[in-house]
Amino acid sequence: MERMVGTVARGLRAPIIRQGDDLAGIVTDTVLAAAESEGFALRDRDVVAVTEAVVARAQGNYATTEQIGRDVHEKFGDDTVGVIFPILSRNRFAICLRGIAMGCKKIVLMLSYPSDEVGNHLMDLDRMDEAGVNPWSDVLTEEKFRELFGYEKHIFTGVDYVEYYKQLITEAGAEVEVIFANDPRTILQYTDSVLHCDIHTRQRTRRLLLAAGAKKVYALDQILTASVDGSGYNDRYGLLGSNKATENSVKLFPIHCQEMVDEIQRRLQEKTGKHIEVMIYGDGAFKDPVGKIWELADPVVSPAYTKGLEGTPNEVKLKYLADNDFAGLSGDSLKEAIKNYIREKDEKAASLVGTMVTQGTTPRRLTDLIGSLADLTSGSGDKGTPVILIQGYFDNYTK
């Protein structure tokens, strides 16, 4: 009988992961137990996705705010530090800011506006336009910001992030001055020692600052790249991708991820005889149409994945074929013509980039697409499904 179901994503329940657990074994056992419990078969090219949070937990990859502060002070000494372009997040950045402030005597906090890098807004766009503020050129003091926009709170969290971040810094024992600007070079009017906290624009920010004469420039991915007094670390991403663990500690982005996915794939092959792809995923990459938040606060969607997940989709648009190449066909004739077109495309394995038949397909990397699907499936709350099994993703209309 013809298969009537395409892609299926299942959130799999697993035990609570603790430091030192054999995560590769737990993931393998979870997938096998779910297949037996729910009565489905595992197939070649299924995808097992594991959230980065449980990988870091199993590794015990944590750091305290005091350890963050020591690393910051080691790099900046007693300089006034410009902390620029942080995202507005209690979970992602606030705990890092507390640690950063512990290592500083004075911070000039420079916030981008009207929103941060991932879409959290500090002000209403219409009010900004009415006030005649040009975000590309205007620099606002805190006093001017309050005069124009008052004390707005975030639509979802109900937090006034300007006041919240100021309070965090002063409670950590540092002085603080707040400004609002979008040109990273603005901070050099206040200090030439800069910690820039942007995620996906960090290479450009660093280049501009150094070219403009900054003396000390570090990014979040350069803080905690090695252990400080026994802390966890991430040699590639530093503090990027970290999350609040407790009021005084963070869980860092996991390390040694490639070894983990390769080991899970090996164990699944050994147990099932199937070639199953494996990836570790963090934040998905998609935009909330109401809150305007672009979800991706991690440096990447997937820090590691098996080789079969390389590349981008090479797909055709069925409705384009139906409305153009095979507009005169219908029913089984149309179905068979489209299937033959797809089979020939797959057999030739030629890239369809730039052809009209691909218009409207998603030009993104497979790991970003699958990681986003996994993130949406697992959610960020209490579902208890840190392992996602995706089946049929690489099927098409001919299967």
Side-chain angles (χ1 to χ4, degrees), residues 65-324:
T65 51
E66 289 83 0
Q67 290 163 334
I68 294 171
R70 288 189 195 110
D71 198 18
V72 169
H73 192 264
E74 178 68 25
K75 290 176 167 62
F76 290 104
D78 291 335
D79 297 355
T80 294
V81 179
V83 175
I84 72 171
F85 298 160
I87 63 171
L88 308 175
S89 171
R90 296 168 298 172
N91 175 46
R92 288 289 190 169
F93 187 72
I95 192 72
C96 295
L97 180 59
R98 179 178 283 128
I100 292 165
M102 287 179 174
C104 300
K105 285 192 171 182
K106 180 178 179 180
I107 286 176
V108 179
L109 181 66
M110 189 172 94
L111 302 174
S112 57
Y113 74 94
S115 71
D116 69 7
E117 181 184 0
V118 296
N120 294 296
H121 278 72
L122 280 170
M123 61 189 67
D124 180 78
L125 288 175
D126 291 332
R127 287 188 63 185
M128 185 185 74
D129 292 339
E130 290 167 3
V133 174
N134 183 345
W136 300 108
S137 59
D138 292 349
V139 178
L140 305 178
T141 63
E142 183 184 358
E143 181 181 19
K144 188 64 177 177
F145 171 81
R146 293 301 191 191
E147 175 190 327
L148 294 173
F149 304 108
Y151 289 78
E152 289 195 13
K153 294 184 177 181
H154 189 278
I155 184 174
F156 288 144
T157 66
V159 173
D160 180 332
Y161 279 96
V162 178
E163 193 61 33
Y164 179 46
Y165 279 5
K166 276 184 62 181
Q167 183 177 342
L168 284 174
I169 294 169
T170 55
E171 286 178 351
E175 296 179 55
V176 60
E177 179 178 357
V178 182
I179 61 173
F180 304 81
N182 290 310
D183 186 334
R185 294 165 292 193
T186 300
I187 196 63
L188 300 181
Q189 299 171 28
Y190 300 81
T191 178
D192 56 12
S193 294
V194 185
L195 175 59
H196 60 99
C197 305
D198 44 344
I199 306 163
H200 307 292
T201 56
R202 61 189 186 276
Q203 286 85 5
R204 176 178 183 267
T205 297
R206 179 177 180 81
R207 173 175 58 79
L208 290 174
L209 287 168
L210 290 173
K215 297 296 189 294
K216 295 180 184 178
V217 179
Y218 291 94
L220 280 187
D221 62 2
Q222 295 172 297
I223 307 297
L224 284 188
T225 55
S227 180
V228 175
D229 297 335
S231 74
Y233 69 95
N234 192 302
D235 53 353
R236 185 174 182 185
Y237 295 118
L239 279 179
L240 286 182
S242 61
N243 294 86
K244 180 179 180 179
T246 70
E247 293 301 322
N248 294 296
S249 66
V250 296
K251 176 196 65 60
L252 300 169
F253 216 45
I255 54 177
H256 307 313
C257 294
Q258 194 61 48
E259 295 96 315
M260 178 62 70
V261 296
D262 290 341
E263 178 62 15
I264 294 171
Q265 184 180 60
R266 185 192 69 77
R267 293 196 192 192
L268 286 169
Q269 177 95 37
E270 186 179 83
K271 296 279 189 179
T272 68
K274 303 298 182 181
H275 184 82
I276 295 172
E277 304 297 346
V278 182
M279 70 182 296
I280 294 169
Y281 70 95
D283 274 349
F286 43 82
K287 188 170 182 177
D288 184 306
V290 177
K292 312 301 181 186
I293 300 168
W294 182 41
E295 179 71 6
L296 186 56
D298 285 326
V300 289
V301 172
S302 176
Y305 46 88
T306 50
K307 291 180 181 179
L309 297 178
E310 288 279 2
T312 57
N314 193 42
E315 300 172 343
V316 297
K317 202 75 170 178
L318 297 189
K319 64 183 181 183
Y320 182 88
L321 291 174
D323 290 343
N324 291 272

Side-chain angles (χ1 to χ4, degrees), residues 328-387:
L329 300 178
S330 61
D332 289 342
S333 297
L334 174 61
K335 183 176 180 179
E336 197 56 37
I338 289 177
K339 283 188 174 183
N340 287 334
Y341 189 102
I342 294 172
R343 287 191 194 100
E344 290 176 9
K345 176 263 294 184
D346 288 346
E347 288 169 3
K348 292 176 183 176
S351 173
L352 298 173
V353 172
T355 60
M356 289 299 290
V357 75
T358 66
Q359 65 179 340
T361 58
T362 307
R364 294 168 60 188
R365 296 187 306 173
L366 288 168
T367 51
D368 294 338
L369 290 163
I370 297 171
S372 298
L373 172 59
D375 188 33
L376 285 168
T377 303
S378 63
S380 58
D382 57 8
K383 288 186 174 62
T385 55
V387 180

